[in-house]
């Protein structure tokens, strides 16, 4: 059975018309004769959406009970039994009621697809798992319901339902999205123009990446290697030379000319594994690329132009940036060079050859050490200087040896010298041997004249072979040493990367590995107080440097106090103490230094982020306070003003009952306003540590009725069960009343009709416990701590629940009285708030503040 297809309507925010567009498509398919049913559609009370359902067949929903409340969900088994061609299932990211077969609705949809049913669904960009934290940062609201990106990316079709922020806000203002009582808060919070613009951009970019993946898949399936300029992609080729930063910045400027373009840097490493590029330069250039928003890549290849073009075509690059050749003009006569060859083979890819300060200066030697040790080279020179004359004496003493044999014996001796001492001793041995052969063994002897042409050719071949063999032996030894060093360097860098990936702090781990690798006494990272570039005299001025990180004993305090100093930039320098390093070791040390600078920068950014987090949180709370208080102040003020204005109006005559009702309305509104202001003042005192607490012995049988009286008629049905023998609590009477008022008000707000809250009291282990029990819908356990955060009414939540200070203030006041408030699940459904206070004793009722 063929698997069904998934079509998703993606939106940037609620209300853009996803469900409406999905239902339009369903109606079109019905008109074409397709069997379509509605598995689940949520209209949210929007009349236009409800009208679009029309006469579409709807599978009856399944009713489920959870914690005493009834919910409806899609009846998955009924839809599977109906087996339509197309099922309409709204809200892909929805979390099913506990007890359902699957936890998430997208899992239900997967079962429908497996059954061969095509599904139409909807999702908002804020519900994608990968963007959850980004959306929370933009809107200040964390989405609890998310769907894995892979589910959406696997859909056969993703259609963006787009709408400008201004049009969406107009739709909101006209009442086409939320109820009228929620419009003001939504427009002032979640539906701000900036939020909607950012969410719209996220949706467009995410969909563009999805389209790009589809394009890449199509090109791969069709075997298309030619570049399709659907998006500008600029590739810059790096050699590890000093010109790399110039090329990167030029490539970034080229990429910046097109909105949404990509910047990629690539380095072609030698496939033989030998060191070629400077790792320190590459490390710094990688940091620069990533700071400019690009990505760094490394590929292997022996043919550099072919490797570059293979990479560029593989990423569908449109432009390739190369540096002008560093080789001299003489070298360019014999080979065209990478730039010219790449340009000739590039095809539809535009190639930019960028000049730079290093162009035409030739390649600088990498400072590779001698292939053989000094001792072996001296031994080789000794063999060449003494061995060749001794061999001559030996051959002259032997009778009947032809010139050909003499030449072969001398050639074997030259090869031996090459094996022992390398290139230069072998060259000297070859030249000396040719002279000795000419003088002592080539007729006429005892003269440099050669009588026969055959002998001249034999000597010439001897010299050529001797020089070639000595050169090859030396190069082979040099390559072997380079390969060994490259392998050691790679192993060292892999060890460093592993230490960081295992969770060690990056900067100390790097410095410690550097110290261990090169057997150093200490390693320090120094930072100058001001830029030192061009001012070498400050190297020993301790007042001009500060140690930002160090490992080992007696670290250097200025660059001049160490054996080796490696500048990273115009401010940072890595100083090594313990021994001087070889020139070849400096390259790997420079790579360490570049990575240490990156690690230091990351640590400082993390510290700055940590320092800014409290400020951001304070700003978030301030914004939430202003948004919430603007409504909660306005509502009671408006009610009181309306009542007073009506009473003062000369146009209407009120009887005593009406006057009493208006006065009661004004009094209730002003009491609500007074409670709000008191909560704000107490919360500010708590946060400032200026709240005065005077604990005395308080009987809960007296405190609870006073709190209920404060709440007025709404608390008349609250059930109380306070034992007469319950010990008194040690608390501030005024603060305790405020705590009880907030807890009971919260329970009343969430209790179902006809099931008022219950207050019970008990004593245990020197504490008095008061439980405020409601049988409402309750709160998931993972969200218990969130209800105690101040200003929780954010985003587009309803405006009937107050500022969101009650529980936060209650916990703060309880803790100020050495008590606590903890939530528990009510058996059978609901939430129980447990207030614990110390029991009063004879020594604890003096009325002074707690210590």
């Amino acid at each position: 059975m063929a698997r069904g297809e998934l079509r998703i309507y993606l939106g940037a925010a609620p209300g853009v018309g996803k469900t409406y567009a999905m239902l339009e498509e369903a109606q079109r398919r019905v008109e074409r004769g397709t069997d379509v049913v509605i598995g689940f559609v949520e209209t949210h009370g929007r009349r236009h959406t409800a009208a679009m359902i029309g006469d579409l067949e709807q599978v009856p929903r399944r009713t489920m009970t959870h914690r005493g409340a009834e919910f409806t969900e899609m009846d998955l088994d009924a839809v599977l039994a109906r087996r339509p061609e197309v099922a309409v299932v709204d809200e892909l990211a929805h979390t099913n009621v506990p007890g359902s077969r699957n936890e998430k609705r997208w899992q239900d949809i997967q079962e429908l697809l497996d059954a061969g049913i095509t599904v139409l669904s909807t999702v908002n960009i804020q519900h994608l798992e990968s963007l959850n934290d980004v959306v929370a940062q933009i809107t200040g609201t964390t989405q609890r319901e998310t769907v894995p990106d892979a589910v959406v990316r696997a859909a056969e079709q993703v259609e963006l339902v787009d709408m400008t922020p201004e049009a969406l806000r107009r739709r909101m203002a006209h009442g086409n999205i939320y109820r009228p009582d929620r419009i003001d808060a939504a427009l002032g919070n979640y539906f701000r123009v900036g939020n909607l613009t950012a969410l719209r951009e996220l949706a467009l970019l995410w969909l563009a990446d999805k389209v790009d993946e589809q394009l890449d898949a199509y090109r791969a399936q069709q075997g298309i290697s030619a570049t399709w300029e659907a998006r500008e992609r600029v590739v810059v080729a790096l050699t590890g030379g000093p010109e790399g930063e110039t090329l990167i910045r030029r490539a970034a400027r080229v990429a910046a000319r097109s909105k949404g373009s990509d910047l990629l840097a690539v380095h072609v490493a030698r496939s033989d594994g030998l060191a070629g590029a400077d790792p320190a330069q590459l490390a710094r250039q990688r940091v620069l690329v990533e700071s400019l928003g690009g990505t760094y890549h490394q590929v292997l290849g022996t043919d550099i132009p072919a490797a570059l073009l293979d990479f560029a075509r593989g990423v569908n690059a449109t432009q390739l940036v190369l540096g002008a050749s560093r080789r001299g003009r003489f070298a360019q006569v014999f080979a065209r060079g990478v730039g010219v060859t790449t340009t000739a083979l590039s095809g539809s890819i535009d190639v930019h050859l960028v000049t730079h300060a290093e162009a035409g200066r030739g390649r600088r030697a990498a400072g590779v050490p001698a292939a053989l040790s000094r001792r072996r080279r001296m031994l080789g020179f000794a063999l060449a200087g003494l061995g060749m004359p001794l061999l001559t004496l030996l051959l002259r003493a032997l009778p009947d040896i032809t010139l050909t044999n003499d030449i072969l014996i001398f050639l074997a001796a030259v090869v031996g010298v090459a094996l022992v001492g390398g290139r230069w001793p072998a060259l000297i041995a070859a030249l000396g041997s040719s002279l000795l052969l000419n003088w002592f063994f080539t007729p006429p002897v005892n003269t440099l004249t050669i009588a026969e042409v055959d002998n001249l050719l034999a000597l010439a071949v001897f010299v050529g072979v001797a020089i070639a063999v000595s050169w090859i032996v030396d190069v082979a030894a040099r390559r072997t040493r380079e390969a060994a060093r490259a392998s050691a360097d790679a192993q060292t860098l892999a060890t460093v990367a592993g230490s960081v990936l295992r969770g060690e702090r990056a900067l100390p781990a790097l410095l410690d590995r550097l110290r261990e690798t090169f057997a150093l006494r200490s390693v320090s990272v120094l930072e100058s107080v001001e830029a030192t570039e061009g001012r070498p005299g400050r190297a020993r001025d301790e007042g001009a440097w500060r140690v930002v990180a160090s490992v080992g004993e007696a670290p250097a305090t200025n660059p001049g106090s160490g054996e080796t100093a490696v500048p990273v930039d115009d401010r940072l320098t890595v100083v090594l103490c313990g021994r001087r390093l070889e020139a070849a070791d400096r390259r790997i040390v420079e790579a360490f230094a570049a990575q240490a600078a990156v690690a230091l920068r990351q640590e400082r950014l993390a510290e700055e982020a940590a320092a800014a987090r409290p400020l951001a949180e304070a700003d978030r709370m301030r914004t939430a306070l202003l948004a919430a208080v603007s409504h909660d102040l306005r509502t009671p003020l408006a009610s009181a003003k309306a009542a007073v204005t009506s009473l003062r109006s000369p146009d209407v005559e009120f009887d005593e009952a009406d006057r009493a009702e208006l006065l009661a309305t004004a009094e209730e509104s002003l009491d609500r306003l007074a409670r709000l202001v008191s909560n704000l003042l107490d919360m500010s005192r708590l946060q400032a540590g200026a709240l005065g607490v005077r604990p005395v012995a308080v009987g809960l049988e007296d405190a609870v009725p006073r709190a209920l009286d404060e709440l007025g008629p709404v608390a008349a049905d609250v059930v109380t069960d306070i034992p007469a023998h319950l010990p008194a609590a040690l608390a501030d009477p005024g603060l305790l009343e405020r705590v009880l008022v907030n807890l009971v008000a919260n329970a009343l707000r969430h209790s179902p009709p006809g099931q008022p809250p219950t207050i019970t009291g008990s004593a245990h282990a020197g504490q008095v416990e008061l439980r405020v029990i409601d049988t409402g819908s309750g709160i998931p356990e993972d969200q218990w701590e969130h209800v105690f955060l101040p200003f929780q009414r954010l985003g587009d939540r309803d405006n009937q629940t107050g500022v969101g200070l009650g529980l936060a203030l209650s916990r703060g006041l309880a803790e100020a009285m050495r008590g606590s408030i903890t939530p528990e699940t009510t058996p059978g459904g609901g939430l129980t708030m447990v207030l614990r206070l110390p029991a009063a004793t004879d020594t604890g009722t003096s009325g002074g503040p707690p210590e």
Side-chain angles (χ1 to χ4, degrees):
M1 177 173 30
R3 180 178 167 86
E5 295 185 356
L6 176 60
R7 180 168 182 171
I8 295 176
Y9 292 84
L10 175 68
V16 295
K18 303 179 302 299
T19 304
Y20 190 90
M22 176 181 65
L23 291 171
E24 275 189 322
E25 175 64 20
Q27 292 285 8
R28 282 193 293 270
R29 296 199 181 200
V30 169
E31 292 175 1
R32 295 196 298 264
T34 305
D35 181 17
V36 180
V37 301
I38 293 179
F40 189 96
V41 166
E42 184 60 69
T43 64
H44 298 286
R46 299 164 191 166
R47 63 182 185 277
H48 298 297
T49 304
M52 183 52 65
I53 293 178
D55 55 357
L56 289 175
E57 179 184 347
Q58 299 187 54
V59 175
R61 299 185 184 184
R62 179 185 178 191
T63 301
M64 303 182 67
T65 302
H66 177 64
R67 293 183 176 178
E70 289 190 350
F71 302 90
T72 60
E73 293 285 2
M74 179 178 70
D75 193 335
L76 178 60
D77 291 328
V79 177
L80 289 171
R82 171 64 175 74
R83 294 196 60 80
E85 294 179 68
V86 177
V88 178
V89 184
D90 206 2
E91 297 184 350
L92 180 68
H94 172 74
T95 301
N96 292 330
V97 174
S100 302
R101 180 193 304 179
N102 297 310
E103 180 184 359
K104 297 285 188 178
R105 183 163 292 161
W106 63 263
Q107 295 170 323
D108 294 340
I109 291 175
Q110 292 298 317
E111 290 197 32
L112 295 177
L113 296 173
D114 291 338
I117 301 172
T118 294
V119 176
L120 308 180
S121 189
T122 64
V123 71
N124 279 329
I125 193 68
Q126 63 263 33
H127 294 296
L128 295 182
E129 185 66 49
S130 65
L131 299 176
N132 187 255
D133 57 338
V134 179
V135 173
Q137 182 181 7
I138 293 171
T139 64
T141 303
T142 301
Q143 299 293 333
R144 302 295 178 187
E145 294 182 328
T146 59
V147 59
D149 287 47
V151 174
V152 184
R153 290 188 182 278
E156 281 72 19
Q157 296 183 63
V158 178
E159 181 176 328
L160 179 65
V161 182
D162 190 28
M163 179 175 288
T164 65
E166 293 77 12
L168 185 57
R169 284 172 59 84
R170 283 196 300 271
R171 178 179 286 186
M172 171 70 74
H174 293 159
N176 294 328
I177 300 177
Y178 288 161
R179 297 189 310 271
D181 59 340
R182 301 179 62 188
I183 291 175
D184 288 344
L187 290 175
N189 291 278
Y190 194 89
F191 281 78
R192 293 195 300 269
V193 173
N195 287 1
L196 297 177
T197 303
L199 292 173
R200 187 186 186 202
E201 183 178 15
L202 283 177
L204 290 169
L205 291 175
W206 190 92
L207 190 61
D209 288 339
K210 162 76 174 173
V211 172
D212 205 43
E213 290 177 1
Q214 293 175 333
L215 178 61
D216 289 343
Y218 176 81
R219 283 163 47 84
Q221 291 171 0
Q222 302 298 321
I224 300 172
S225 59
T227 300
W228 285 9
E229 299 185 16
R231 177 191 293 190
E232 286 289 347
R233 284 187 175 85
V234 181
V235 173
V236 54
L238 302 178
T239 65
E243 76 282 357
E245 294 187 3
T246 301
L247 301 181
I248 292 169
R249 290 190 173 93
R250 179 59 184 274
R253 291 195 296 270
V254 172
R257 295 170 185 165
S258 300
K259 186 68 175 177
S261 59
D262 296 332
L263 173 63
L264 303 91
V266 60
H267 169 66
V268 180
R270 292 167 55 169
S271 57
D272 56 10
L274 301 180
D278 186 343
Q281 289 277 14
L282 285 176
R284 284 191 286 268
Q285 291 164 14
R286 177 172 189 166
V287 173
L288 178 59
V289 169
E290 293 173 349
S291 69
L292 293 173
T295 56
Y296 177 86
H297 307 267
Q298 186 163 312
V299 297
L300 294 176
T302 53
D303 187 342
I304 294 179
L308 281 177
L309 291 172
D310 286 344
F311 175 82
R313 293 189 179 106
V315 299
N316 201 23
T318 57
Q319 303 189 60
L320 181 60
V321 178
L322 302 171
S325 177
R326 283 184 285 161
R327 300 183 308 153
R329 293 183 178 179
F330 183 76
Q332 294 182 33
V333 172
F334 297 96
R336 295 192 299 176
V338 173
V340 177
T341 305
T342 303
T343 303
L345 301 175
S346 62
S348 60
I349 301 176
D350 297 335
V351 178
H352 302 261
L353 279 178
V354 180
T355 187
H356 49 85
E358 302 296 324
R361 294 188 175 182
R363 293 186 178 273
R364 299 178 182 176
V368 179
L372 301 175
S373 65
R374 186 173 183 275
R375 179 174 176 274
R376 286 186 59 179
R377 294 198 305 274
M378 292 300 100
L379 181 59
F381 283 119
L383 287 176
L386 299 176
M388 297 300 112
L390 292 176
L391 181 60
T392 301
L393 294 176
L394 178 62
L395 291 177
R396 285 181 62 84
L398 296 175
D400 301 329
I401 295 182
T402 65
L403 177 61
T404 301
N405 292 329
D406 292 334
I407 290 176
L408 291 175
I409 293 172
F410 269 99
L411 181 59
V414 171
V415 172
V417 172
L419 292 173
V420 174
R423 180 192 309 169
W424 297 110
L427 289 176
I428 293 175
L431 294 175
S433 298
S434 65
L435 294 174
L436 291 172
L437 282 169
N438 189 359
W439 185 272
F440 291 105
F441 301 100
T442 304
V445 296
N446 298 327
T447 179
L448 294 178
T449 303
I450 301 176
E452 298 180 10
V453 176
D454 291 344
N455 293 338
L456 177 62
L457 179 61
L459 285 176
V461 171
F462 165 77
V463 172
V465 171
I467 292 175
V469 169
S470 63
W471 192 279
I472 291 171
V473 170
D474 183 79
V475 169
R478 188 182 301 274
R479 293 296 189 191
T480 301
R481 186 162 183 173
E482 286 180 1
R485 169 160 288 278
S487 176
D489 291 350
Q491 185 176 1
T492 300
L493 293 174
T495 303
V496 172
S499 66
V500 176
L501 290 174
R502 283 191 297 272
E504 302 178 24
R505 291 185 60 200
L507 185 56
L510 282 168
L511 299 183
D512 200 46
R513 289 293 182 273
L514 178 59
R515 183 181 62 84
E516 292 178 358
T517 300
F518 296 102
L520 301 169
R521 185 180 75 249
S522 66
V523 180
S524 307
V525 178
L526 305 181
E527 185 177 32
S528 64
V529 177
E530 56 186 58
T532 58
E533 191 172 320
R535 305 177 67 179
R538 298 173 63 87
R540 293 187 174 274
D541 184 2
E542 293 192 6
W545 300 88
R546 61 173 174 268
V547 180
V548 294
S550 65
V551 294
E553 300 177 356
T557 56
N558 60 72
S561 61
E563 279 74 17
T564 304
V566 181
V568 181
D569 52 34
D570 59 346
R571 286 189 177 275
L572 290 178
T573 299
V574 175
V575 183
L576 315 179
C577 298
R579 70 181 183 90
R580 290 195 176 276
L581 299 180
E582 298 179 7
D585 291 333
R586 188 178 179 91
R587 300 179 67 199
I588 194 68
V589 172
E590 288 178 347
F592 269 95
Q595 294 300 324
V598 174
L600 176 62
R601 191 176 299 112
Q602 290 175 339
E603 285 190 4
R604 288 181 170 175
L605 288 175
E607 292 172 358
E608 291 175 3
R613 194 172 295 116
L615 297 177
E617 181 65 20
D619 185 66
R620 185 192 72 84
M621 293 178 64
R622 187 181 301 109
T623 302
L625 171 63
L626 292 174
V629 170
S630 64
H631 174 272
D632 289 295
L633 284 176
R634 186 168 60 246
T635 301
L637 283 174
S639 299
K641 185 177 186 302
V644 173
T645 301
S646 299
L647 288 171
R648 295 187 60 191
S649 174
D651 300 328
V652 182
E653 290 290 339
F654 294 101
D655 57 22
E656 287 301 321
D658 291 336
R659 288 175 60 83
E661 184 178 353
L662 289 172
L663 288 172
T665 300
E667 183 181 17
E668 182 183 349
S669 299
L670 293 174
D671 287 342
R672 179 181 173 187
L673 181 62
R675 286 196 297 270
L676 171 62
V677 173
S678 297
N679 280 346
L680 289 172
L681 291 175
D682 285 345
M683 184 54 107
S684 64
R685 293 191 188 103
L686 271 175
Q687 292 182 339
L691 183 69
V693 181
R694 294 188 174 277
V696 296
V698 180
L700 295 185
E701 68 277 7
D702 297 325
V704 171
R706 285 199 300 270
L708 297 179
D709 291 340
E710 174 74 16
L711 288 169
V714 296
D717 296 331
V718 174
V719 180
T720 60
D721 182 15
I722 309 297
H725 62 276
L726 189 67
L730 187 62
D732 185 303
L735 299 184
L736 176 58
E737 184 176 334
R738 300 293 307 285
V739 171
L740 293 176
V741 166
N742 285 325
L743 291 179
V744 176
N746 184 72
L748 285 168
R749 192 159 47 241
H750 295 93
S751 294
Q755 300 181 36
T758 301
I759 304 175
T760 65
S762 61
H764 179 71
Q767 287 186 321
V768 178
E769 295 183 354
L770 197 70
R771 281 176 161 77
V772 181
I773 307 167
D774 71 65
T775 55
S777 59
I779 300 174
E781 186 173 348
D782 60 349
Q783 298 183 28
W784 280 356
E785 288 305 312
H786 292 281
V787 301
F788 292 104
L789 298 177
F791 313 125
Q792 283 304 289
R793 201 195 67 208
L794 298 173
D796 52 355
R797 301 180 188 180
D798 67 87
N799 291 317
Q800 308 301 321
T801 56
V803 188
L805 274 176
L807 293 179
L809 177 61
S810 297
R811 172 174 274 189
L813 295 178
E815 292 176 349
M817 296 184 290
R818 293 185 175 180
S820 65
I821 295 179
T822 55
E824 294 180 356
T825 300
T826 302
L831 187 69
T832 297
M833 287 293 181
V834 183
L835 169 63
R836 294 183 176 88
L837 293 170
T841 62
D842 293 340
T843 59
T845 60
S846 62
E851 297 177 1

